[in-house]
């Protein structure tokens, strides 16, 4: 196998693989909350707004990933406040932010002198362009995510399950909702290293939705989603390497295929057991 | 003796539509009040005011002399059936454990001693055998018992129940009412019901709410009061002493 041989000889490929797996693990932790709370669209809004931060960072010569994190958090808090304020037409406002964020990003990138090949990798991802040092950053962020979720999992689950009851028990529901969106924002930035911001929502929600077919608890969903996400990322990277295809698109297609197979197999199982 | 619940001259309107008009009600410690009335008569609104989820526009509400928000940790609440997604990936035990959330019990995972704390309420509600079941696999009556267990897990002094028997057959309804009546020594109960059903066999006081409140001891609920509240067509069902 070329891919396996290349893994031993090419350090950048090993690095790409590690980045993809770390991002998938983060997606496995956070994705289940997004799926059960049904905020996939909102997460999509955050993901696309991130281009503004990347474009601005690129323009001023700063690191795009820092711009992406800052912008993702700002977008999460903005969208979260809109959602909590109960304004009419929440979906319209999110859609507007989604498009305006992308427009700002495109404008800043277009005004940056030099070769703009990076834009494509922001939009569609390219694991093979992962910079050195990214692995350590992602690992640190993944550990941070895990610690925060370990602390807040219990009250956060209560908020998602029955917001009113949680509020009556004194759970800080608005704080936890905004914190969840910030965690989603951070995860989105990790995942878009692998598949780019246009397809990031697939890697955030598909493994978790697939896990939801089979798991009976959020923790179980996280485990299955993390494994499934890693399999899709590794498999997609290997396939794209062998067939010389774009890695991000291959990963997302594999995730989509996995999701559909899981959905159909669950239907078949139900038909035969019913 | 101070009252557990004091509602004094409370009015409330939604967008200029008056839902509650000068409602007053006192419930003593260990009392059991059945709150009945037609749909849209303001029962759930009154319950939500007692919970502090809504604030009265006129009048005041005190629970053990405190505002509902201050007293919220002493109030157990059983919401109307199935406001949440049944497909939510969670077990019966984890739902009941949510009743323990509160001061000093907020962050980090549940510990073994937390899980042991709900043994008693699962026993009381006779759902111990369902403990590790996923909520999606429960019948309506079983899920209702889970929600009651969740409210009891917080060891409340006041228990507010919003139509807790709506999804239960009449046998199940009677056994639930017997259970509620057995709580009376330890707590004060207010129970919403859209019909009289068995309620008057178990409660000490029936409050009839249709924007204004008429309160009666159970003996004095007569066909007259009922027809006054609901109109003429209502038949008295299952009402004996």
């Amino acid at each position: 196998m070329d891919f396996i041989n290349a893994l031993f000889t090419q350090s950048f490929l090993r690095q790409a693989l590690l980045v993809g797996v770390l991002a998938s693990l983060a997606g496995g932790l956070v994705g289940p909350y997004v799926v059960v709370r049904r905020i996939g669209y909102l997460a999509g809004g955050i993901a696309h707004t991130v281009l503004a931060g990347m474009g601005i960072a690129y323009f001023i010569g700063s690191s795009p990933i820092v711009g992406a994190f800052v912008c993702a958090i700002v977008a999460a808090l903005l969208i979260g406040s809109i959602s909590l304020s109960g304004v009419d037409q929440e979906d319209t406002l999110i859609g507007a932010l989604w498009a305006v964020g992308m427009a700002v990003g495109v404008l800043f990138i277009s005004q940056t002198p030099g070769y703009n090949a990076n834009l494509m990798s922001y939009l569609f991802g390219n694991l093979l362009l992962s910079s050195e040092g990214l692995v350590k950053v992602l690992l640190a962020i993944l550990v941070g995510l895990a610690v925060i979720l370990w602390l807040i999992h219990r009250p956060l689950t209560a908020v998602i399950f029955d917001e009113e009851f949680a509020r009556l028990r004194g759970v800080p529901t608005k704080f936890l909702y905004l914190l969840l969106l910030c965690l989603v924002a951070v995860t989105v930035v990790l995942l878009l290293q692998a598949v780019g911001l246009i397809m990031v929502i697939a890697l955030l929600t598909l493994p978790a939705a697939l896990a939801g077919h089979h798991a009976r608890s959020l923790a179980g969903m996280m485990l299955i989603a993390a494994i499934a996400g890693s399999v899709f990322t590794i498999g997609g990277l290997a396939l794209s390497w062998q067939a010389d295809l774009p890695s991000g698109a291959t990963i997302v297609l594999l995730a989509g295929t996995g999701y559909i197979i899981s959905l159909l197999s669950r239907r078949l199982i139900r038909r035969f057991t019913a | 003796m101070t009252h557990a619940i004091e509602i004094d001259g409370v009015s409330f309107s939604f967008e200029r539509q008056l839902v509650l008009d000068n409602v007053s009600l006192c419930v003593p410690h260990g009392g059991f009040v059945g709150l009945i009335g037609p749909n849209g008569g303001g029962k759930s609104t009154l319950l939500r005011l007692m919970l502090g989820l809504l604030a009265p526009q006129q009048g005041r509400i005190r629970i053990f002399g405190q505002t509902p928000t201050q007293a919220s940790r002493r109030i157990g609440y059983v919401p109307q059936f199935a406001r949440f997604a049944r497909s939510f990936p969670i077990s019966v035990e984890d739902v009941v454990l949510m009743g323990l959330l509160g001061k000093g019990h907020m962050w980090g995972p549940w510990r073994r001693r937390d899980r042991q704390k709900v043994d008693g309420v699962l026993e009381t509600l006779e759902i111990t055998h369902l403990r590790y079941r996923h909520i999606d696999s429960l019948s309506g009556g079983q899920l209702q018992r889970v929600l009651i267990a969740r409210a009891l897990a917080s060891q409340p002094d006041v228990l507010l129940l919003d139509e807790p028997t709506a999804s239960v057959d009449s046998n199940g309804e009677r056994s639930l009412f017997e259970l509620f009546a057995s709580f009376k020594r330890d707590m004060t109960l207010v129970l919403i019901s859209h019909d009289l059903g068995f309620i008057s066999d178990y409660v000490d006081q029936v409050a009839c709410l249709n924007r204004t409140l008429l309160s009666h001891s159970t003996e004095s609920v007569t066909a007259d009061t009922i027809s006054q509240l609901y109109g003429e067509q209502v038949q008295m069902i299952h009402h004996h002493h």
Side-chain angles (χ1 to χ4, degrees):
Chain A
M1 291 283 282
D2 290 352
F3 179 70
I4 292 173
N5 287 334
L7 267 186
F8 285 106
T9 54
Q10 312 282 348
S11 71
F12 78 94
L13 190 57
R14 283 198 297 277
Q15 187 168 291
L17 192 81
L18 269 177
V19 167
V21 170
L22 289 175
S24 302
L25 295 181
L29 287 182
V30 175
Y33 296 107
V34 173
V35 170
V36 297
R37 181 65 174 78
R38 299 179 186 180
I39 49 172
Y41 182 67
L42 212 150
I46 294 173
H48 287 74
T49 313
V50 159
L51 191 64
M54 289 179 131
I56 293 170
Y58 192 55
F59 180 75
I60 62 174
S62 166
S63 157
I65 194 170
V66 174
F69 276 122
V70 172
C71 185
I73 300 281
V74 171
L77 293 176
L78 201 60
I79 289 177
S81 317
I82 289 169
S83 160
L84 283 175
S85 67
V87 187
D88 283 351
Q89 303 284 320
E90 176 192 320
D91 58 336
T92 311
L93 284 168
I94 292 172
L97 208 59
W98 176 314
V100 168
M102 292 205 77
V104 169
V106 168
L107 284 184
F108 272 96
I109 291 169
S110 77
Q111 294 309 304
T112 308
Y115 182 54
N116 284 340
N118 272 339
L119 177 62
M120 287 297 276
S121 63
Y122 298 157
L123 293 182
F124 300 108
N126 193 344
L127 273 175
L128 300 177
L129 291 182
S130 303
S131 63
E132 272 182 56
L134 190 61
V135 173
K136 279 179 189 163
V137 174
L138 295 201
L139 188 62
I141 292 172
L142 180 64
V143 170
L145 272 179
V147 170
I148 293 174
L149 285 175
W150 184 78
L151 283 172
I152 68 169
H153 174 71
R154 195 168 80 174
L156 182 60
T157 307
V159 173
I160 296 174
F161 180 68
D162 187 346
E163 197 266 348
E164 190 174 87
F165 186 87
R167 188 149 35 108
L168 289 169
R169 298 306 311 154
V171 176
T173 56
K174 288 185 179 175
F175 166 75
L176 283 170
Y177 182 61
L178 290 176
L179 184 57
L180 172 63
L181 293 188
C182 289
L183 298 181
V184 169
V186 168
T187 309
V188 159
V189 176
L190 296 193
L191 285 170
L192 66 82
Q193 306 303 318
V195 293
L197 59 87
I198 291 187
M199 297 182 286
V200 73
I201 205 63
L203 211 49
L204 185 63
T205 55
L206 287 178
L210 178 156
H213 295 158
H214 310 286
R216 318 197 119 241
S217 69
L218 271 169
M221 265 179 94
M222 287 178 191
L223 183 69
I224 297 176
I227 294 171
S230 303
V231 168
F232 297 144
T233 313
I234 297 170
L237 190 63
L239 270 178
S240 70
W241 179 268
Q242 298 281 6
D244 196 20
L245 295 168
S247 59
T250 313
I251 292 169
V252 168
L253 269 183
L254 205 57
T257 311
Y259 173 77
I260 289 170
I261 290 173
S262 163
L263 193 68
L264 292 176
S265 68
R266 186 180 65 158
R267 291 220 163 164
L268 281 179
I269 290 167
R270 287 208 171 160
R271 182 165 300 169
F272 285 116
T273 52
Chain B
M1 191 176 74
T2 60
H3 285 104
I5 303 171
E6 286 177 76
I7 300 171
D8 187 18
V10 164
S11 297
F12 191 86
S13 34
F14 281 116
E15 296 177 356
R16 278 186 283 170
Q17 181 161 6
L18 196 58
V19 182
L20 297 173
D21 185 6
N22 195 21
V23 168
S24 297
L25 175 71
C26 284
V27 186
H29 280 291
F32 186 178
V33 174
L35 192 59
I36 61 163
N39 286 330
K43 304 183 301 287
S44 289
T45 305
L46 187 59
L47 206 71
R48 295 170 69 77
L49 285 160
M50 285 189 251
L51 286 161
L53 291 170
L54 298 172
Q57 286 143 353
Q58 269 172 39
R60 57 171 224 162
I61 297 180
R62 289 291 175 270
I63 313 280
F64 300 109
Q66 295 177 300
T67 66
T69 312
Q70 287 166 339
S72 70
R73 289 177 204 286
R74 301 177 70 178
I75 306 173
Y77 171 45
V78 180
Q80 236 176 56
F81 182 70
R83 278 190 304 108
F84 43 80
R86 286 288 287 273
S87 60
F88 198 99
I90 195 165
S91 68
V92 166
E93 183 189 59
D94 283 330
V95 173
V96 175
L97 278 165
M98 284 178 191
L100 295 181
L101 283 172
K103 217 169 217 164
H105 254 104
M106 195 64 80
W107 313 107
W110 295 114
R111 291 167 219 291
R112 181 177 293 176
R113 63 169 187 277
D114 297 323
R115 297 188 181 272
Q116 284 164 352
K117 269 188 203 161
V118 300
D119 291 351
V121 285
L122 292 172
E123 198 72 40
T124 308
L125 272 302
E126 296 166 355
I127 52 173
T128 305
H129 62 293
L130 303 174
R131 184 166 192 152
Y132 301 110
R133 286 268 290 275
H134 183 267
I135 56 163
D136 202 15
S137 67
L138 304 182
S139 71
Q142 288 171 331
L143 184 57
Q144 193 66 67
R145 282 172 176 266
V146 172
L147 296 182
I148 296 164
R150 178 178 70 163
L152 287 181
S154 62
Q155 297 185 296
D157 297 314
V158 170
L159 188 60
L160 305 178
L161 306 115
D162 198 347
E163 306 229 15
T165 58
S167 57
V168 183
D169 64 22
S170 60
N171 278 333
E173 188 172 5
R174 184 167 278 287
S175 77
L176 276 181
F177 273 117
E178 269 160 23
L179 195 64
F180 298 146
S182 75
F183 298 157
K184 270 201 308 187
R185 269 162 294 141
D186 304 316
M187 61 188 93
T188 309
L189 292 96
V190 177
L191 184 150
I192 287 184
S193 184
H194 63 282
D195 64 69
L196 270 171
F198 303 111
I199 197 170
S200 51
D201 290 352
Y202 297 96
V203 299
D204 324 315
Q205 193 182 351
V206 175
C208 308
L209 186 64
N210 190 4
R211 200 158 55 99
T212 55
L213 188 115
L214 302 164
S215 189
H216 310 275
S217 64
T218 41
E219 285 74 17
S220 64
V221 178
T222 63
D224 278 350
T225 21
I226 299 305
S227 59
Q228 190 182 336
L229 206 72
Y230 286 92
E232 298 296 330
Q233 309 89 328
V234 178
Q235 292 188 327
M236 295 277 282
I237 45 163
H238 204 93
H239 192 252
H240 53 79
H241 293 284

